[in-house]
Amino acid sequence: MAIKDILPGTMGFGAAPLGNMFRDIPEAEALATVEAAWSDGIRYYDTAPFYGAGLAEIRLGEALAGKPRGEFVISSKVGRVILDEVEDVGARDQGEKGGVFAHGRPNRVVNDYTADGTLRSIEGSLKRLRTDHVEIAFVHDVAQDFYRDEWLAVFDTARTGAFRALDRLRDEGVIKGWGIGVNRVEAVELLLGLQEPRPDVCLLAGRYTLLDHSRALQRVMPTAAERGVGIVVGGPYSSGALVGGPNFEYAPARPEILDKVARIKAIADRHGVSMKAAGLQFSLAHPAVVAVIPGASRPSRIAEDRAALAETVPADFWRALREAKLVDPAAPLPID
């Protein structure tokens, strides 16, 4: 079954903020945000054990507990096992994501990409999500932003462990699809180059966005389209930088990024286009992209995202971006 036939629509809900990403989000606000997504018709929810050491899964599970399970799709991640024992949150080595979930639970997070660790990770996720299955499993963060010089060794452990375990679970019908969920192009490129096992979908966060897409466009998207591997775009607003936020890649945005945002916004304002619409519709214009999953921690953000997806963007806006060399000349645009 093609991944497009599994996903209910092109916009999903990225649940990372529910793990207290960057701030301590009140429980009621977190649950209301998921309820707003449901009320808006969103039926695809992406989460991970890593998000707040299980907190995002717990909150998502509680919010969806009363919904008909056959009406929505969940993707979660493997590679991390969450233990009952606690640890010093500040002492965790989480690469470039250090401190992102400082407000999450203090439970110990163990990195484990073996086949056994994969099964344990899924078992823990099912309990926290209060469900008996997830449709899609992504192997999480097997890339250099988290593991630095060790990332290839970690990737190889996952290749012989998690990848094969998930391939088997898909063939047995336990899950409907698998792939990796990363913030770097190279890991997806490496996976797509393997003869086996064969993934169905990959979550690429922050790498096929209006602000940053050339590398993915060259190295990943053509192969993904050719092999029928769907790409779910995470972080379509580049950690908020595209829509006026101070961060890019979980850190303060560099001057050249802020300059690019300002130049895009000037063209958007001239054509009466919202930056959210520009970001979402750009990512979805590539034929390999099957969904975008903007994250939200406030109910009001859901309506903004839906409106952005439905917004009519004039063709002249896209032409102006191309003429100003603010998009890669090879990038598909909604007017193509």
Side-chain angles (χ1 to χ4, degrees):
M1 182 183 293
I3 205 70
K4 279 189 175 180
D5 298 327
I6 296 168
L7 294 176
T10 56
M11 190 166 84
F13 178 88
L18 300 186
N20 283 350
M21 189 178 189
F22 296 121
R23 69 184 181 99
D24 192 355
I25 300 166
E27 189 79 4
E29 187 177 333
L31 298 180
T33 302
V34 181
E35 186 58 39
W38 181 270
S39 298
D40 195 68
I42 292 174
R43 295 295 183 268
Y44 169 39
Y45 300 86
D46 175 74
T47 188
F50 181 72
Y51 303 155
L55 181 60
E57 289 184 321
I58 290 169
R59 286 173 162 175
L60 187 62
E62 182 175 347
L64 295 175
K67 315 298 186 190
R69 185 62 184 89
E71 293 185 12
F72 60 93
V73 166
I74 295 176
S75 60
S76 193
K77 320 278 192 320
V78 301
R80 271 63 176 257
V81 177
I82 311 300
L83 305 184
D84 290 333
E85 65 186 82
V86 300
E87 63 182 356
D88 179 1
V89 174
R92 291 172 176 161
D93 181 6
Q94 297 181 339
E96 294 178 16
K97 294 182 180 179
V100 173
F101 293 103
H103 299 285
R105 299 200 308 162
N107 294 59
R108 188 179 171 207
V109 180
V110 177
N111 301 324
D112 190 341
Y113 294 90
T114 64
D116 182 62
T118 297
L119 299 180
R120 289 173 62 205
S121 180
I122 291 175
E123 182 181 8
S125 290
L126 296 181
K127 289 177 182 176
R128 290 185 293 272
L129 288 164
R130 295 162 65 173
T131 186
D132 61 357
H133 69 285
V134 294
E135 282 79 6
I136 299 168
F138 293 116
V139 184
H140 205 188
D141 283 334
V142 281
Q144 58 270 53
D145 59 324
F146 200 94
Y147 292 104
R148 303 185 183 93
D149 289 345
E150 300 298 317
W151 84 271
L152 285 170
V154 173
F155 185 97
D156 203 50
T157 298
R159 180 184 65 81
T160 57
F163 295 0
R164 292 176 182 175
L166 293 176
D167 210 52
R168 185 172 64 251
L169 290 178
R170 181 204 53 213
D171 291 348
E172 292 172 354
V174 177
I175 59 175
K176 293 183 178 180
W178 74 274
I180 62 175
V182 292
N183 295 65
R184 290 292 180 270
V185 168
E186 292 81 2
V188 180
E189 182 181 15
L190 197 56
L191 174 62
L192 293 178
L194 298 177
Q195 289 303 306
E196 58 84 29
R198 302 295 292 268
D200 308 279
V201 58
C202 287
L203 197 169
L204 187 57
R207 297 282 77 81
Y208 196 76
T209 70
L210 196 49
L211 291 182
D212 184 351
H213 55 268
S214 290
R215 192 173 184 83
L217 190 64
Q218 296 172 36
R219 306 284 288 271
V220 163
M221 307 305 273
T223 308
E226 179 185 324
R227 293 184 57 168
V229 176
I231 299 293
V232 173
V233 173
Y237 307 136
S238 296
S239 298
L242 183 67
V243 292
N247 293 326
F248 176 81
E249 284 290 283
Y250 308 110
R254 303 184 304 276
E256 61 266 29
I257 294 295
L258 296 175
D259 177 66
K260 187 173 185 180
V261 171
R263 293 172 64 202
I264 294 171
K265 191 172 190 309
I267 294 173
D269 289 348
R270 199 158 66 239
H271 291 87
V273 174
S274 75
M275 291 292 274
K276 280 195 168 187
L280 294 183
Q281 294 186 32
F282 170 81
S283 293
L284 283 168
H286 198 288
V289 174
V290 292
V292 289
I293 50 168
S297 61
R298 293 184 174 90
S300 61
R301 301 289 192 237
I302 303 297
E304 291 174 12
D305 292 336
R306 176 63 69 187
L309 201 61
E311 187 176 318
T312 299
V313 177
D316 284 349
F317 166 73
W318 299 114
R319 293 191 190 103
L321 284 188
R322 190 169 269 164
E323 287 167 9
K325 295 182 169 52
L326 288 166
V327 292
D328 191 295
L333 297 178
I335 57 172
D336 294 337

